[in-house]
Amino acid sequence: MDYDMLLKLAMELGVRLQKSGAEIYRVEESVVRLLAAYGVSGEVFAIPNCLIVSLTTGTGEQKTALRRIPSHGTDIELLEAYNDLCRKLCHNPPPEQEALDRVFAEEKSGRDWPFYTQLCAYFVGTGGFSLFFGGTWADAACSGLCGMAICCCLKVTRRLRASLFNQTVFSAFVSSLLAAACVYARLAEHVPFVTIGALMALVPGVLFTNSMRDIMAGDMVAGLVKLVESMVIGGAIALGTGAGLALARAAGGL
Amino acid sequence: MDAVSLLPCLYAFVACLGFCVIYHIRGLGMVICGLGGTLGWLVYLLVSAAGGSVYFASFLAAVSGSVYSETMARLRKCPVTGYLIVSIFPLVPGAGIYYTMDYFMWGQAEQGMQTGLQTLGIAGCLAVGVLLVSSAVRMYTVFQSRMRKNVK
């Protein structure tokens, strides 16, 4: 058995699961199960930005690998694909090289939405939430515009490798300025509803819930990292929106 | 409860569809997630109408949303995360963050604190609701696999 290849396979699958947004326990369980399917005992430790896999070879030698995981979004389609692949590999383990090829092949089959579809999605999502929180149809349309602005801001700041905090502050700032501008131009009536709808694209509700789930599941470090991250994002939203609206007020718009 | 007060459920459905695309959920999954969001808000409205507090309504809505997501995940043999993310999305107190910030900006620190704490409280209730269900499901899964081993 090729232990190096097996270690590489386990690592690759774990990293990919985590990058597509899997929970910590799912990553750890999947890797352990995969190793067990090949009849190898191993240990795995995952926190949101790092994955360590270690296994014991037939001669009792220890092999360990470590990978840092960059900040990533959520891609449920890829997550489901890797989860499914992991189940198949565990059920009927092929030779290591073939398994690794199948892991790599999965990425190519994962398609990204074209940019204009993403823009439309942000428009529908944020506009819908503006209506949901009590805005009028005009508010919703402006909120959708702000949502599209957030989409563009995120895209640009991600390309500039800005931190999550900076990404959020910048996006919230731009969207609240735009919201104030819409109300100033009498396109919309209520600044709060326009802004809140757009902000739903940034709010870390999912992150907060996941952090609590991790803490309760016993993954303290992972939970704490996510908890702090969600607090920072919450603060960034307040800061960015506050700065944008204050600027608009100072300019005499409202 | 009249039809107009149920309109937000429809808006939640549409908004959830938009966010499904953002999280790369496709096909039938989109409809399932949208319905999850609608269900959560419906429960929230019903509990509120029956006189429950904001916290209790959020908690029960989160429980129903996650029971729904866990069921769908089992039926479709997919990770529960995808369904859960979108199903509890309408319950997330996004407005709370905004109003907290707004009060502080106008120097109304006391009201700001109050709103901020309420926002945190609602987020906590959501988390507890989701946790309760997911822990129960995990324990049940372990129990089931033990039983199966014993039979063998």
Side-chain angles (χ1 to χ4, degrees), chain A residues 12-90:
Chain A
E12 202 59 47
L13 192 66
V15 166
R16 274 152 196 266
L17 271 172
Q18 208 165 340
K19 266 191 183 170
S20 54
E23 309 93 316
I24 296 298
Y25 73 81
R26 187 180 302 283
V27 175
E28 293 188 342
E29 267 180 24
S30 302
V31 173
V32 168
R33 255 186 223 163
L34 185 69
L35 290 177
Y38 282 94
V40 177
S41 69
E43 288 284 341
V44 51
F45 178 73
I47 52 173
N49 43 21
C50 180
L51 179 65
I52 306 172
V53 181
S54 160
L55 58 81
T56 314
T57 64
T59 54
E61 196 190 343
Q62 287 277 341
K63 282 186 188 295
T64 306
L66 181 150
R67 278 270 282 277
R68 259 187 91 96
I69 293 163
S71 70
H72 51 82
T74 305
D75 188 331
I76 299 300
E77 195 188 24
L78 267 183
L79 170 58
E80 288 179 355
Y82 287 130
N83 192 57
D84 200 42
L85 178 65
C86 179
R87 189 180 296 137
K88 278 180 197 152
L89 292 182
C90 290

Side-chain angles (χ1 to χ4, degrees), chain B:
Chain B
M1 203 179 273
D2 53 349
V4 176
S5 61
L6 289 179
L7 260 183
C9 291
L10 180 67
Y11 299 146
F13 181 77
V14 174
C16 284
L17 286 190
F19 278 95
C20 281
V21 176
I22 296 172
Y23 292 119
H24 293 252
I25 299 167
R26 275 165 207 267
L28 189 58
M30 286 175 80
V31 182
I32 293 178
C33 292
L35 286 179
T38 312
L39 174 76
W41 195 250
L42 192 63
V43 171
Y44 182 94
L45 286 180
L46 288 177
V47 176
S48 299
S53 70
V54 198
Y55 303 113
F56 190 56
S58 301
F59 170 75
L60 279 190
V63 168
S64 61
S66 45
V67 167
Y68 173 83
S69 310
E70 297 275 358
T71 318
M72 286 303 158
R74 291 224 140 192
L75 287 182
R76 301 194 74 208
K77 293 209 159 118
C78 285
V80 67
T81 331
Y83 303 113
L84 202 55
I85 287 180
V86 180
S87 293
I88 62 164
F89 217 96
L91 305 171
V92 168
I97 297 186
Y98 176 82
Y99 287 120
T100 308
M101 182 278 304
D102 203 43
Y103 280 130
F104 275 112
M105 214 166 76
W106 288 105
Q108 294 163 306
E110 205 166 304
Q111 269 163 306
M113 273 313 273
Q114 207 177 347
T115 318
L117 286 179
Q118 196 191 33
T119 306
L120 263 183
I122 292 175
C125 286
L126 292 185
V128 172
V130 173
L131 281 179
L132 208 65
V133 177
S134 64
S135 324
V137 168
R138 272 174 73 75
M139 276 189 234
Y140 176 73
T141 317
V142 173
F143 174 74
Q144 216 179 16
S145 61
R146 285 243 168 126
M147 287 296 277
R148 221 173 276 157
K149 261 181 209 159
N150 283 351
V151 170
K152 276 177 191 172

Side-chain angles (χ1 to χ4, degrees), chain A residues 26 45 54 59 73 89 99 102-103 143 151 166 189 198 203 226 242:
Chain A
R26 187 180 302 283
F45 178 73
S54 160
T59 54
L89 292 182
R102 275 167 73 180
V103 172
S143 190
C151 177
N166 290 340
E189 292 154 54
V203 165
K226 286 183 190 165

